[in-house]
């Protein structure tokens, strides 16, 4: 299968590298990472270790059977526009936040929602570290059976990736949002690793943010209980205790965060008050502006 990974950052490089063990893979990203892969291949380190030689480009190829989108949420419209040039048969979002699938579907035909719990870090150009083995789940954004999802899952499994077809993706997406809404802004603002949310006042803030997400999910017709959202949050905090969240890395580097697609999306969709998510969103936006 011809697989295109659009957004060869840490996660995209890891997933693309894993896929390249079985499929023809093209990584689309930016130099110097792409240039290093073209010259010496992609070195995958950590929980799995190998070197592979996927095609590496800064522009999309002419065609693809399956496109995996791993760019930041604010780049999703541009990703959809670029992918329309090669018109992949199936496009899967493996991104954070809400609204990515709708943005891609405005440009592309068959779009699937996805979540990925593999841990990844890019220590240098041409290298990616797998910091934890996880799972990729794919399905239709609205839920229900999908032949396209089954085909995509089969392709990932053939590359020895733990992948499942979930016909209840809406709940999975909101549960992931609850985790991200609790962990990302809290760690970013406090300047701490994920494990600092295991107890104390930071745990309280993150847990209440997750509870608010669960309440908004139910307003949207998705049956996510507060207890389930908090349990998911606590599980990820424990499993990634030594990790630095993507938003904390962005704030430290002074780059744009995904706050609008995470806590901002909760605020935008809420019928009732969500004070913790609203406050976290406002504080991270102020930090981005340098206020």
């Amino acid at each position: 299968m011809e697989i295109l990974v659009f957004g060869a950052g840490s996660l995209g490089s890891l997933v693309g590298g894993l896929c390249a063990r079985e499929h023809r893979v093209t990584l689309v990203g930016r130099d110097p990472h792409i240039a290093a892969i073209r010259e010496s291949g992609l070195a995958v380190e950590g929980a799995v270790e190998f070197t592979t030689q996927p095609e590496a480009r800064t522009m999309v190829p002419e065609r693809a059977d399956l496109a995996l989108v791993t760019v930041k949420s604010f780049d999703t419209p541009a990703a959809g526009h670029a992918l329309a040039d090669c018109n992949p048969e199936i496009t899967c979002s493996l991104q954070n936040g809400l609204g990515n699938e709708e943005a891609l579907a405005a440009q592309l035909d068959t779009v699937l929602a996805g979540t990925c719990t593999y841990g990844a870090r890019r220590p240098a150009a041409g290298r990616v570290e797998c910091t934890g083995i996880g799972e990729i789940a794919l399905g239709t954004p609205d839920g229900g059976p999908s032949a396209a999802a089954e085909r995509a899952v089969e392709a990932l499994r053939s590359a020895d990736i733990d992948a499942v077809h979930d016909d209840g993706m809406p709940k999975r997406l909101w549960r992931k949002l609850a985790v991200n809404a609790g962990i990302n802004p809290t760690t970013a603002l406090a300047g701490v690793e994920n494990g600092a949310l295991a107890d104390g006042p930071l745990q309280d803030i993150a847990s209440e943010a997750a509870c608010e997400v669960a309440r908004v999910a139910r307003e949207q017709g998705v049956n996510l209980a507060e207890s389930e959202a908090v349990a998911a949050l606590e599980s990820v905090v424990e499993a990634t205790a030594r990790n630095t969240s993507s938003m904390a890395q962005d704030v430290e580097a002074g780059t744009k965060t995904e706050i609008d697609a995470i806590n901002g999306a909760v605020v935008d969709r809420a019928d009732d008050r969500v004070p913790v998510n609203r406050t976290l969103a406002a504080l991270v936006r102020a930090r981005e502006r340098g206020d």
Side-chain angles (χ1 to χ4, degrees):
M1 178 177 280
E2 295 277 359
I3 297 179
L4 162 63
V5 179
F6 194 92
S10 55
L11 180 61
S13 296
L14 174 60
V15 173
L18 295 173
C19 288
R21 297 179 298 183
E22 176 67 22
H23 302 285
R24 295 181 298 276
V25 171
T26 300
L27 298 179
V28 177
R30 298 188 178 97
D31 290 331
H33 185 54
I34 291 299
I37 295 171
R38 281 199 300 262
E39 181 177 349
S40 304
L42 175 67
V44 180
E45 307 164 349
V48 289
E49 296 195 354
F50 60 92
T51 299
T52 187
Q53 189 77 52
E55 184 177 355
R57 306 165 54 111
T58 57
M59 304 288 287
V60 298
E62 293 184 358
R63 67 172 303 277
D65 299 315
L66 172 64
L68 304 175
V69 180
T70 52
V71 298
K72 293 292 184 69
S73 56
F74 47 79
D75 284 331
T76 305
H81 180 75
L83 288 170
D85 290 339
C86 71
N87 193 27
E89 294 181 22
I90 305 170
T91 302
C92 304
S93 167
L94 298 180
Q95 303 165 269
N96 288 330
L98 296 182
N100 294 300
E101 294 81 15
E102 292 88 343
L104 292 170
Q107 306 271 0
L108 303 164
D109 293 332
T110 302
V111 175
L112 301 176
T115 60
C116 179
T117 57
Y118 279 79
R121 187 176 72 90
R122 198 177 67 185
R127 295 167 53 201
V128 64
E129 178 184 358
C130 178
T131 60
I133 301 294
E135 175 189 77
I136 293 177
L138 301 175
T140 61
D142 297 329
S146 168
E150 291 287 357
R151 183 182 175 205
V153 165
E154 182 180 354
L156 296 178
R157 286 177 175 169
S158 71
D160 202 25
I161 294 173
D162 189 357
V164 297
H165 171 208
D166 188 347
D167 60 6
M169 281 304 297
K171 184 174 183 177
R172 186 182 286 264
L173 291 174
W174 277 95
R175 187 168 57 235
K176 178 183 176 181
L177 182 66
V179 172
N180 284 334
I183 292 177
N184 276 279
T186 310
T187 56
L189 292 166
V192 296
E193 294 179 340
N194 293 357
L197 276 58
D199 53 38
L202 294 181
Q203 180 190 43
D204 295 340
I205 293 170
S207 295
E208 184 53 38
C211 286
E212 289 180 355
V213 173
R215 292 195 288 272
V216 176
R218 292 198 300 276
E219 292 172 0
Q220 300 291 312
V222 176
N223 186 24
L224 178 63
E226 283 96 331
S227 59
E228 185 177 354
V230 172
L233 171 73
E234 292 174 345
S235 176
V236 173
V237 166
E238 180 180 2
T240 64
R242 299 183 63 182
N243 289 8
T244 300
S245 73
S246 59
M247 192 173 291
Q249 293 179 51
D250 290 337
V251 166
E252 177 66 23
T255 55
K256 185 175 175 61
T257 73
E258 295 183 285
I259 193 67
D260 291 341
I262 300 176
N263 303 80
V266 178
V267 175
D268 291 343
R269 288 163 173 78
D271 294 332
D272 206 349
R273 294 178 65 252
V274 283
V276 174
N277 278 276
R278 184 178 295 277
T279 300
L280 290 171
L283 289 172
V284 172
R285 287 166 178 155
R287 184 73 177 267
E288 282 186 332
R289 295 193 303 268
D291 293 355

